[in-house]
Amino acid sequence: MPVAPASRLMSGREPLDLSTDFFSLFALPRSFRLAAAQLDRAYVELQASVHPDRFAAADDSARRLAMQWSTRVNEAYQTLKKPLARAKYLLHLAAHDVADENNTLMPADFLIEQLEWREAVAEARAAGDHHELEHMHHRLQRELSSRYDELGDLFDERQDFVEAADRVRRLMFIEKLLADLDEAMAACDA
Amino acid sequence: MALLQIAEPGESAAPHRHRLAVGIDLGTTNSLVATVRSGLAVVLNDELGRPLLPSVVRYLPDGSCAAGYEAQAQQAIDPRNTIVSVKRFMGRGIKDVPYREDLPYRFDEAPGMLRLQTVAGVKSPVEISAEILRTLRLRAESALGGTLVGAVITVPAYFDDAQRQATKDAAKLAGLPVLRLLNEPTAAAIAYGLDNGAEGVYAVYDLGGGTFDISILRLARGVFEVLATGGDSALGGDDFDQRIFCWILESAQLAPLSVEDARMLLTRAREAKEYLSFHGVAPISARLTSGEIVDLRLTTETFSEITRTLLAKTLQPVKKALRDAGLTVGDIKGVVMVGGATRMPQVQRAVGDFFRQEPLNNLDPEKVVALGAAMQANLLAGNRSTGDDWLLLDVIPLSLGLETMGGLVEKIVPRNSTIPTARAQEFTTFRDGQTALALHIVQGERELVGDCRSLARFELRGIPPLVAGAARIRVTFQVDADGLLAVSARELGSGVETGVVVKPSYGLSDDEIAAMLKDSLAHVKDDAQLRALQEARVEAERLIEAVRSALAADGDLLAADERSRIERGLLGLHNAAAGENRRQLVVAMDDLEAETKEFAARRMDRSIRRAFAGRNISELAGDLSLAKSGEGA
């Protein structure tokens, strides 16, 4: 994997501005698989130099700039940290936008499976069955994890953005389901 | 006021002076001011050696007022004009105030932020809080012997935008430049973390007089990162007093009380609560104006029984914050207790039982917030050197949303987003030639507008008239490091910046603040004009220093003519600051700011590059072998 962005940045030739892409911003290679610790470290280092707290005693324009930069760095970090957001962002950079809402054409078997999941969550929630919800949560996370592994292959080895976009659309369903599960578990706690 | 000499180009700037900055804990019951002296955070006492300032303000018929112990001593005699716990009213409407029928105040019936009728006229909670802040400012200035560069003022982490803005407005009225609004539990974490070299994930349980916060933070070397926060901005020690008060009324079978008697019994209730922290039984006795005698004994058991639901109410946000952080009780390394109300033994027990560990009480729960705020103020004022500092990453406590069709809320910024943060959203017109657009911003987690707090209505004006649906208006919602929202808008086709008119639901307009500022200056003892000039000079001095040190550090980024223009601006400001004309001083500051704009951008760029240069290439190129699909698993 090339590490060009990092060296380019340090050579100081590449102009660095608020529109610099998130991977370059953190000096990370543009890939789906990334080292979380490295991202975390780059994030903290960057915030340490742009955060508004560093410019609290500076003049107005420096303070405004610090807020813009710090905002941008936060956005970049949140995007790269979460695998779904990172995948969508990679597609966006490759001009293969997922077309979030318009393209909902999914194979029937996938949709039926999703429907079944959803019913099961609703049932367990109605019954206040925390144990069952937790069990489903584990299963879903395992499934997510293996799907993201496959996505890593599509992005980083095969550069198959069309197929990747299709997988990402499915992952959006599953992540939504996981969020619903979290909410159901929270409701049971209360 | 002596200004620093301007360094010759190329000459390195002299080590800057220690800038006077303070941390202020503006509490519901008590307030404090602290500063860092000789590297140590200390609370500044009043002339009688008392650290606390009771958050009580009494208004007098001549329009003046007294704040603190003096006002507190008169609260039973003059309850209508003596305002206690004003923090509960900040950024709130009259319908938001619980048990308002038990309060002795006369509220003004008006929409928006509530107002109180006093003998000195109608007062907004912002003005009342400003009196407390002004008292603390004067205390600090006389203790430190100079004008303050600024203050870090703490707010409950769970304060919404209106409550934060009201606090900032109060500081403005009090003549205090705000370096930052800092969340109270975060301030406590800074004080605790720095004093103990703590590392790991900590919870801060902060039960104050009128507010409850829970924050989960990750403390690492030089980084304080808030992972999640939650709370209840209308739950605190006051509510425990109220439960005792109700118990007294019931047990003594009292007839409806006069406002004086009610205020006195509330005081007795508070005393009983404090007594029970060290004893098993508290005697409560009082003679009412009606001649009735109250003589009761409150046991710890009864007290625990009547306040059980309050404790349970604090644990709900704790569970939610843990869930939001994706953590469980087992992940928490320590629980820092903050706020006077955590002195109650049943609070200690409940928290200990929940987290399955002894809470940490090695810092004074009443002072820790002010001390942390002072440390942060010292950092923000630039009194610490690089490498000897820390980074604070805080979050927004409540989601920001937009009213959409059918009274539904569309979330724009989710709760617990790290600040500063921004979201942009595109809107279009639905009528031909439409030139204005109204947006309603709410804060809260519920799906219906009616269940969230209304923050403000924004009206975008000056949209170029086009056919329906042709205008594309990009609205940016920016939350700054104080957790405050600003909205800006631009029509994408024409690039026209559209004007945004803000109508805060529970806040003050700029005009109202200006009027209050004028009004307040009529009654303060210090000469207002001299004061304004002095403040402008401090501001000018700060700017001159900032530009000088920027030139010393990064002067090479400037071409010769750019540099000389900035030098000219510096000289102009230096001369203006020596004069007596405040107007000229402000103009000179604006001029210098304009000249340094481009310089600031280049410096920021360099600063970011340096962040990368700090790491070596092998480190950057390395650990790809670690590569996994991130945190999806």
Side-chain angles (χ1 to χ4, degrees):
Chain A
M1 200 53 51
V3 287
S7 46
R8 267 215 316 277
L9 258 171
M10 278 180 297
S11 75
R13 253 174 281 133
E14 177 107 328
L16 195 65
D17 59 38
L18 283 167
S19 62
T20 301
D21 84 80
F22 297 158
F23 290 98
S24 306
L25 194 61
F26 291 127
L28 290 166
R30 189 182 289 188
S31 63
F32 181 73
R33 297 192 168 112
L34 61 78
Q38 195 178 323
L39 174 66
D40 287 350
R41 200 168 50 227
Y43 168 64
V44 166
E45 277 169 13
L46 216 48
Q47 277 296 8
S49 57
V50 300
H51 196 275
D53 283 356
R54 287 281 175 274
F55 300 88
D59 54 291
D60 278 356
S61 42
R63 280 198 303 229
R64 217 174 11 252
L65 246 134
M67 184 174 74
Q68 287 170 354
W69 267 104
S70 183
T71 296
R72 181 76 175 162
V73 171
N74 276 333
E75 186 193 355
Y77 180 59
Q78 290 308 323
T79 305
L80 296 196
K81 201 170 81 160
K82 301 190 190 98
L84 183 60
R86 186 165 70 239
K88 282 189 192 171
Y89 185 65
L90 276 168
L91 288 171
H92 165 75
L93 289 177
H96 278 273
D97 275 287
V98 201
D100 296 359
E101 274 130 84
N102 306 334
N103 200 333
T104 44
L105 221 59
M106 287 275 134
D109 55 344
F110 177 77
L111 290 176
I112 288 168
E113 194 191 7
Q114 285 302 302
L115 225 57
E116 282 169 357
W117 267 104
R118 214 142 278 212
E119 276 165 17
V121 173
E123 246 169 63
R125 181 178 182 157
D129 191 344
H130 200 280
H131 186 76
E132 177 61 21
L133 288 171
E134 229 165 273
H135 179 65
M136 285 195 273
H137 202 273
H138 280 302
R139 267 181 58 204
L140 208 55
Q141 281 205 315
R142 265 206 311 279
E143 177 166 350
L144 267 175
S145 156
S146 77
R147 278 176 184 265
Y148 280 123
D149 273 347
E150 289 169 25
L151 199 57
D153 288 341
L154 285 170
F155 273 118
D156 300 346
E157 270 87 58
R158 288 156 51 193
Q159 277 90 39
D160 186 346
F161 295 113
V162 177
E163 177 65 18
D166 188 59
R167 300 293 181 93
V168 166
R169 275 191 287 274
R170 292 176 200 215
L171 277 159
M172 286 161 68
F173 275 86
I174 302 174
E175 287 279 11
K176 173 75 174 69
L177 188 60
L178 193 69
D180 290 348
L181 252 172
D182 279 333
E183 205 194 295
M185 285 163 70
C188 280
D189 274 357
Chain B
M1 180 164 301
L3 282 173
L4 291 169
Q5 288 296 309
I6 295 173
E8 290 300 316
E11 188 183 308
S12 77
H16 61 65
R17 289 184 320 179
H18 184 84
R19 300 185 183 91
L20 302 180
V22 295
I24 290 179
D25 175 1
L26 183 61
T28 308
T29 323
N30 293 297
S31 298
L32 298 98
V33 58
T35 194
V36 173
R37 258 204 287 227
S38 317
L40 217 65
V42 286
V43 170
L44 298 171
N45 297 340
D46 67 8
E47 66 278 12
L48 295 178
R50 297 172 298 197
L52 301 180
L53 177 78
S55 302
V56 184
V57 176
R58 182 190 178 200
Y59 286 94
L60 299 164
D62 67 355
S64 68
C65 72
Y69 286 104
E70 195 187 333
Q72 192 181 43
Q74 307 299 319
Q75 59 172 332
I77 298 166
D78 189 16
R80 283 185 201 280
N81 299 305
T82 311
I83 321 301
V84 302
S85 300
V86 64
K87 190 171 177 178
R88 291 200 151 195
F89 303 153
M90 294 288 268
R92 286 286 173 262
I94 183 156
K95 291 195 177 65
D96 300 320
V97 179
Y99 349 99
R100 66 176 177 279
E101 58 284 352
D102 292 339
L103 295 171
Y105 314 124
R106 282 162 300 196
F107 292 100
D108 222 22
E109 284 296 336
M113 200 192 309
L114 66 85
R115 313 239 167 168
L116 299 155
Q117 295 171 11
T118 76
V119 69
V122 176
K123 298 290 172 189
S124 148
V126 171
E127 290 168 279
I128 302 166
S129 298
E131 296 302 340
I132 299 165
L133 290 173
R134 193 190 320 269
T135 308
L136 292 173
R137 191 199 81 203
L138 294 173
R139 179 192 290 189
E141 285 177 349
S142 84
L144 302 174
T147 309
L148 303 177
V149 168
V152 166
I153 300 178
T154 61
V155 290
Y158 213 57
F159 253 21
D160 66 24
D161 191 273
Q163 293 167 305
R164 283 168 198 269
Q165 189 61 56
T167 306
K168 210 169 174 184
D169 291 343
K172 189 172 183 183
L173 285 184
L176 258 178
V178 178
L179 290 168
R180 187 72 72 234
L181 295 180
L182 179 62
N183 290 328
E184 287 161 9
T186 310
I190 290 172
Y192 180 83
L194 293 176
D195 280 1
N196 297 277
E199 302 223 352
V201 177
Y202 283 77
V204 180
Y205 180 100
D206 181 356
L207 188 61
T211 57
F212 170 67
D213 281 332
I214 177 77
S215 283
I216 315 285
L217 295 100
R218 183 184 294 125
L219 276 50
R221 253 161 117 71
V223 185
F224 295 83
E225 185 186 5
V226 180
L227 302 175
T229 195
D232 186 332
S233 64
L235 172 65
D238 280 5
D239 297 280
F240 290 75
D241 302 353
Q242 186 68 29
R243 290 284 162 96
I244 297 177
F245 175 77
C246 292
W247 176 83
I248 296 173
L249 295 190
E250 233 169 78
S251 308
Q253 310 249 306
L254 298 176
L257 299 173
S258 68
V259 289
E260 289 80 7
D261 284 342
R263 177 51 73 199
M264 180 186 60
L265 284 184
L266 259 175
T267 305
R268 293 280 181 282
R270 195 191 71 227
E271 288 163 359
K273 175 190 74 179
E274 285 163 7
Y275 193 82
L276 283 176
S277 289
F278 307 100
H279 306 85
V281 188
I284 301 172
S285 57
R287 177 190 285 272
L288 307 183
T289 48
S290 59
E292 272 179 289
I293 293 196
V294 175
D295 189 16
L296 296 167
R297 286 159 57 80
L298 176 62
T299 63
T300 306
E301 289 71 33
T302 307
F303 183 41
S304 295
E305 192 53 47
I306 60 177
T307 56
R308 190 182 305 280
T309 51
L310 293 177
L311 279 174
K313 255 174 101 174
T314 70
L315 292 178
Q316 285 307 325
V318 173
K319 286 180 198 162
K320 192 165 132 213
L322 275 173
R323 241 189 339 260
D324 284 353
L327 299 171
T328 62
V329 162
D331 298 316
I332 304 298
K333 193 168 166 196
V335 186
V336 180
M337 299 296 267
V338 183
T342 60
R343 288 221 172 91
M344 285 184 274
Q346 74 263 42
V347 175
Q348 293 278 340
R349 259 198 315 277
V351 173
D353 287 349
F354 180 84
F355 284 102
R356 300 197 288 270
Q357 59 180 298
E358 278 297 308
L360 301 162
N361 287 300
N362 49 343
L363 284 169
D364 184 338
E366 248 160 0
K367 290 184 180 166
V368 60
V369 168
L371 295 173
M375 296 174 182
Q376 190 68 13
N378 192 49
L379 175 81
L380 296 187
N383 288 333
R384 297 182 77 90
S385 53
T386 320
D388 182 30
D389 54 6
W390 58 87
L391 174 68
L392 175 59
L393 298 165
D394 217 320
V395 302
I396 180 173
L398 294 151
S399 302
L400 286 169
L402 201 60
E403 175 170 357
T404 61
M405 297 292 194
L408 293 175
V409 178
E410 186 182 338
K411 293 243 167 82
I412 318 166
V413 180
R415 70 167 186 269
N416 291 320
S417 297
T418 306
I419 51 176
T421 185
R423 288 295 145 96
Q425 197 126 345
E426 266 181 47
F427 298 89
T428 189
T429 49
F430 65 97
R431 266 200 327 267
D432 287 349
Q434 188 179 341
T435 57
L437 193 78
L439 300 174
H440 181 204
I441 311 278
V442 297
Q443 197 160 22
E445 310 311 319
R446 308 281 295 274
E447 284 170 17
L448 294 175
V449 167
D451 296 332
C452 291
R453 295 252 358 137
S454 170
L455 276 192
R457 288 171 195 277
F458 293 89
E459 202 179 310
L460 313 181
R461 290 180 183 162
I463 300 168
L466 297 166
V467 292
R472 283 166 60 222
I473 304 128
R474 190 178 173 83
V475 181
T476 305
F477 304 89
Q478 171 80 57
V479 181
D480 67 14
D482 291 325
L484 290 171
L485 173 71
V487 174
S488 59
R490 177 183 294 278
E491 203 283 307
L492 294 177
S494 61
V496 171
E497 188 93 19
T498 61
V500 181
V501 180
V502 189
K503 288 202 188 76
S505 308
Y506 296 99
L508 304 174
S509 69
D510 290 349
D511 291 346
E512 283 173 303
I513 292 169
M516 285 174 185
L517 200 54
K518 224 174 113 189
D519 190 45
S520 73
L521 291 174
H523 294 292
V524 292
K525 286 152 206 134
D526 46 336
D527 184 335
Q529 284 193 338
L530 187 66
R531 168 97 214 149
L533 178 64
Q534 224 166 36
E535 274 168 21
R537 277 178 178 159
V538 172
E539 181 73 13
E541 199 177 337
R542 188 181 63 84
L543 180 61
I544 288 173
E545 263 195 63
V547 174
R548 283 178 67 243
S549 63
L551 283 177
D554 298 309
D556 58 307
L557 290 171
L558 293 166
D561 63 316
E562 290 170 325
R563 182 168 185 129
S564 71
R565 274 208 305 277
I566 291 176
E567 300 275 5
R568 253 202 313 279
L570 272 171
L571 196 64
L573 182 55
H574 179 74
N575 291 338
E580 300 291 321
N581 189 332
R582 186 177 158 273
R583 188 74 223 130
Q584 258 174 21
L585 188 49
V586 172
V587 171
M589 268 192 275
D590 288 349
D591 288 350
L592 182 57
E593 296 246 358
E595 289 299 344
T596 55
K597 222 175 151 170
E598 171 61 25
F599 185 33
R602 285 185 216 162
R603 292 194 71 215
M604 184 67 74
D605 185 56
R606 169 176 281 182
S607 152
I608 292 156
R609 284 174 200 288
R610 280 196 186 130
F612 287 107
R615 288 174 285 165
N616 62 48
I617 300 177
S618 65
E619 197 181 333
L620 285 169
D623 49 26
L624 279 176
S625 51
L626 286 176
K628 258 276 145 208
S629 51
E631 53 162 24

